[in-house]
Structures are given as structure tokens and as C-alpha cells.
Amino acid sequence: MRKVKMVSMLSLTAVIALSACSSNSAQPTSSPGTESKKEPIELVFATHLGMSQETFNKEIGDPIRKKFPYITPKYIERGTGTNLNDLVSAGTAPDITWFVHSSFANTIQQLGLDYDLTDLIKKYNYDMNRYYPQALETLKYYTGGKGIFGIPKEISQSVLYYNKDIFDKFGVPYPKDGMTWDDAYELARNMTKTVDGTAYRGMSSFYSTVLRENQLSISPLSPTEDKANVNTDQWKQLLLTLDKIYKIPGNNRPTNTRSITPEVEQFEKQLNVATLISGYGRQVNFPPNLNWDVVSMPTFKDKPKVGQQSSPTFWGITPTSKHKDDAFEVIMYLMNDERMMENSKKGLLTPVNKPEIRKAFGTDAPELKGKNLEAAYFNTYAPIEPARASGLNNAIRQDAINIVNDAFTDMIINNIDVNTALRQADEKINQKFAEKK
């Protein structure tokens, strides 16, 4: 009996050992996303955009420290001697950066900080379909449609804010979602008047954004060659749509400066502008005495519910980083559904295109209670401009947009006609191409 028991015990021990070996062999020693203990590393963050150390720690650094104890996030704040070009020149490029899509060519690409994430996306089986397709397309404008050089971080949408007190004072019904530009013109005309000695403007706009991420999806650059593409009927339509509103007697912006700042200050501080077209989120700067609400951005009659282009910012990993896998895991975590849900509840637009996240928008933001939150998602994003042919100079796109913006400013300040403004803009953009050559 003692021998039988001993054999049985040995057999059982062997079975357990084999089972344990089998179980261990079924688990990969390392795989994407595993939480196995890793050697301590430092991940360096830097950006061409401004952010304080305090904000970085709150929104990025502290969450990383909690989720990935082995990672020490280090943020190099933008400043004298610490801009991205300074870091690259010193051979201390960051591991992770974030950037506005419109600065990809003249900042990220020019500094050699662009890195194709396609292999990492495949390795981690990362679902890029969770993002708005219009956001994903933006960088392809600069890459000839090749590669994936960023993960969407944030996204924007222009809306129309309005001062409820002015509408109440004039006895005019509040604006509604779904207005066309023709409706917006009539509204601005009706709200531009002098009452009790105060001159009120009907509408102002952050028109540089309206032009840059325009609803017609038109580019200032030719898609096939290095030349301007602004002296066209579509650009003329866009500029005249805005110009018509500014030419309403009494509704022109201050003409003693080319700065666009007074457009916002008249609405936010002087409280003598009835409506303002600006990117959603501007309300964080509104004073407590501004009784505001919001509706969707006006649209063209033949393009109903088509808002601005998505204008996202992106996360990017640099080619010199020695910790690309860790950096990608960090980005995946920062953009996961749980965090995006939290952001949405706070009233922040997210690039993740999921109904449940949109539905939760603003539900945990007391300052947004009673506001028309549907406005931020009422319009769809306009398609991105067509990608330019490979090998063309995309770095001057921002210069080109600035030239168009200046041309429109000349129309409303110096009364330049649209044909002259666009012809001169065309010539200046072509001159930029010539200088680069």
C-alpha cells in the first residue's frame, strides 16, 4: 500500500509539473500591452505647442506615472533654447511629441522628427478605425497618402456663440442649429444697430480659422505642381461669403489694426457683438457676466451640415527614440476609451468616433448645464483637402494660408476687391515657391 501511494504521489506530481509547464508555454514571455516588470526608462516629451509643466503633469505625466511605474515622463517646456529645433540641433530630440497637423510639414518633417507608425500599429493590432476618418486623412496631405505619422490627440469644430442678453434686448429669437451662411447674413444684418447710444455688431468671426479649415475643402496650393491655387471661383465664393457680412454697415471690425484679437475681445469683454464664429472650447475664456449659448457653424446651402475640416493635433514618436514600443503603449493608454469618455463628459471634443462617447458629451461639466451641447456635433467634418502629388513642397502651406488671410484682411480693412486680393495672393504664394527653390 505504501508503494502504491508513493507511485500515485509521484504520478500526481508529474502531472502537475507537466500542467504547469504547459500553462507557462501557452503564455508569451513578452507581448504588446503586457504588464510584466520592465527596466526603468525615461520618456522625453516636447512640442512646438505651448503647455505648462503643471498642465503636463495633470493631463499626461501623472497618469503615465500611475499606469506605468517603470516610466519617468520628462517634459521639456517650450522656451528660449528649448524649442524643438533647439533640441534637434543639440542632439536631444524627444521620444514623443504632439503637433498641429498644419505644422507637420514645416516643423515635424523639416526637423526630421517624422516617423511612420504603421509597423507599431500592426504589431499592437491597434484599431485606427476608432478615429474620425477625416482626422486620419489630414497628414496624408503632406505625405502623398503614404504612411501613418501620427495618432489623433485632439480635434476641433467651429461653432457660433451668441450673447443671449443682446438678443433679449432686441427682442430677436435666438439662433438655431443648421443655419446657412445666407441665414447668418440676415441675422447679422438684423442685429447690427445702435441702441441706447451703444453700437452693436451683429457678427464677428475668427476668420483665419474659417479660411484655413474651410468647409469647401479647397487648398491654397495646386495638387499637382508647386504653384498657387487661390485665384479660383471657389476661393472667391468663400471670401465673398465672409466679406458680405463684414460689409454690413456698422458691422465691420476695428480697422486700426490687422490683429484679429479685437474680434474676440468685442464679444468677450466689451459685450457689444451679438454672435461670434470660433472654435468650440472658446467658452473657457468667457467672463462670468457673458450670458451665452451656442449653435452650429453656418454652412453653405449646397453643403448642408458640413462644418470645418477636422484640424486635429497628433501624437508622434520620433525616429531617434530608443523606446518606441514603450512610447506607443503610452499613447495607446492616453487615448483609450475610458480616458476619452472622461474628457467627453468634461465637455472636451475627442477624435474618437464612438456614439457612446459623443452621447456623454458635457454631462459632468456644471458650467455647460443648460447649454446647447448638440451644436458641437451637429455638423460633420468637411473632407480634407486632396493630397498633393509626391515630391512637392508642402512646407509653405501655412505661409500660403497666411497670405490668403492677409488678402481677406485687405478686403475688409482697405476695401480691396476680391479679384485683386486673390490675384495678389496668387502672386505672393508663387513668389514663396520661387524663394524655396
Side-chain angles (χ1 to χ4, degrees):
M1 287 292 292
R2 188 174 297 167
K3 290 182 179 180
V4 172
K5 286 182 180 180
M6 183 65 70
V7 172
S8 299
M9 289 295 293
L10 288 173
S11 300
L12 180 59
T13 302
V15 169
I16 293 173
L18 287 171
S19 176
C21 290
S22 175
S23 176
N24 288 337
S25 64
Q27 299 296 326
T29 56
S30 63
S31 63
T34 57
E35 298 299 326
S36 57
K37 188 175 182 180
K38 298 183 179 181
E39 291 296 321
I41 65 168
E42 180 181 74
L43 284 182
V44 179
F45 292 73
T47 177
H48 72 98
L49 302 169
M51 178 181 282
S52 68
Q53 287 282 353
E54 181 182 4
T55 301
F56 173 83
N57 284 329
K58 180 180 178 182
E59 298 181 0
I60 301 172
D62 290 343
I64 292 173
R65 295 181 186 99
K66 184 176 180 180
K67 176 66 176 178
F68 304 96
Y70 73 97
I71 294 177
T72 299
K74 176 183 177 182
Y75 173 52
I76 302 177
E77 190 172 353
R78 184 187 67 181
T80 303
T82 56
N83 291 321
L84 279 180
N85 56 322
D86 298 319
L87 300 179
V88 171
S89 297
T92 56
D95 297 285
I96 298 177
T97 186
W98 66 95
F99 53 88
V100 178
H101 79 97
S102 57
S103 297
F104 178 71
N106 60 7
T107 300
I108 303 302
Q109 282 183 319
Q110 281 197 348
L111 292 175
L113 296 177
D114 51 321
Y115 178 74
D116 189 352
L117 302 173
T118 300
D119 289 342
L120 284 169
I121 290 168
K122 290 179 179 177
K123 177 178 180 178
Y124 287 81
N125 195 27
Y126 190 59
D127 181 16
M128 295 295 288
N129 292 322
R130 63 200 298 271
Y131 297 105
Y132 286 97
Q134 297 93 332
L136 298 177
E137 292 296 315
T138 53
L139 291 187
K140 292 183 179 180
Y141 178 89
Y142 304 100
T143 63
K146 300 177 182 178
I148 302 174
F149 290 83
I151 302 296
K153 178 180 183 288
E154 297 167 354
I155 205 165
S156 67
Q157 180 64 277
S158 287
V159 292
L160 186 141
Y161 293 101
Y162 63 95
N163 186 322
K164 297 174 72 174
D165 289 341
I166 297 179
F167 280 85
D168 293 341
K169 185 180 184 71
F170 294 173
V172 176
Y174 298 147
K176 295 182 179 180
D177 291 329
M179 288 193 305
T180 66
W181 282 108
D182 291 337
D183 297 329
Y185 169 78
E186 290 299 325
L187 179 66
R189 190 172 62 82
N190 290 334
M191 297 299 292
T192 302
K193 60 183 73 176
T194 299
V195 177
D196 298 332
T198 300
Y200 292 92
R201 289 181 58 202
M203 184 174 293
S204 64
S205 73
F206 236 99
Y207 56 79
S208 57
T209 301
V210 178
L211 297 174
R212 186 176 62 241
E213 282 91 41
N214 63 78
Q215 297 161 290
L216 299 179
S217 302
I218 50 178
S219 170
L221 308 179
S222 165
T224 57
E225 54 185 321
D226 279 339
K227 63 180 291 187
N229 190 43
V230 297
N231 197 8
T232 67
D233 289 342
Q234 282 189 304
W235 274 108
K236 184 175 181 180
Q237 177 191 6
L238 180 60
L239 266 60
L240 285 178
T241 297
L242 292 172
D243 183 66
K244 182 180 178 181
I245 293 172
Y246 282 94
K247 293 297 172 62
I248 295 171
N251 191 54
N252 203 355
R253 48 157 283 176
T255 58
N256 62 341
T257 175
R258 297 184 72 86
S259 171
I260 204 167
T261 302
E263 289 281 82
V264 180
E265 289 185 342
Q266 285 191 324
F267 182 81
E268 292 179 351
K269 297 180 180 180
Q270 300 175 35
L271 307 183
N272 64 343
V273 176
T275 63
L276 168 70
I277 297 174
S278 182
Y280 179 81
R282 184 71 206 180
Q283 67 271 9
V284 299
N285 299 301
F286 291 171
N289 61 329
L290 175 53
N291 184 17
W292 65 276
D293 208 337
V294 60
V295 294
S296 60
M297 179 183 183
T299 60
F300 288 94
K301 189 181 299 184
D302 61 340
K303 295 182 181 293
K305 298 190 74 172
V306 177
Q308 69 168 63
Q309 296 171 56
S310 57
S311 187
T313 58
F314 286 89
W315 293 108
I317 298 174
T318 62
T320 55
S321 173
K322 297 179 181 179
H323 308 292
K324 293 183 177 67
D325 282 86
D326 300 283
F328 193 75
E329 287 194 68
V330 162
I331 292 172
M332 287 194 299
Y333 164 67
L334 292 173
M335 299 307 299
N336 68 26
D337 284 359
E338 182 180 354
R339 286 176 54 84
M340 292 301 99
M341 179 66 79
E342 291 176 1
N343 285 348
S344 185
K345 288 179 177 180
K346 294 175 184 176
L348 302 175
L349 294 175
T350 79
V352 175
N353 183 17
K354 292 194 173 184
E356 61 272 23
I357 292 178
R358 291 197 303 272
K359 187 177 180 180
F361 184 67
T363 53
D364 284 353
E367 68 277 9
L368 297 178
K369 187 176 181 180
K371 305 300 183 184
N372 176 31
L373 300 181
E374 295 294 324
Y377 285 106
F378 185 87
N379 290 331
T380 59
Y381 290 104
I384 190 64
E385 305 161 18
R388 302 186 73 217
S390 179
L392 297 181
N393 180 1
N394 294 311
I396 75 160
R397 182 186 180 277
Q398 189 58 50
D399 291 327
I401 284 294
N402 291 340
I403 289 171
V404 174
N405 185 71
D406 286 342
F408 181 71
T409 303
D410 283 332
M411 288 175 62
I412 59 179
I413 288 182
N414 301 321
N415 208 29
I416 302 296
D417 70 276
V418 66
N419 293 320
T420 300
L422 288 176
R423 188 188 73 251
Q424 292 176 348
D426 215 64
E427 293 170 354
K428 291 177 181 178
I429 294 171
N430 286 331
Q431 184 178 350
K432 283 287 183 184
F433 275 123
E435 291 172 0
K436 294 296 181 182
K437 287 183 180 179

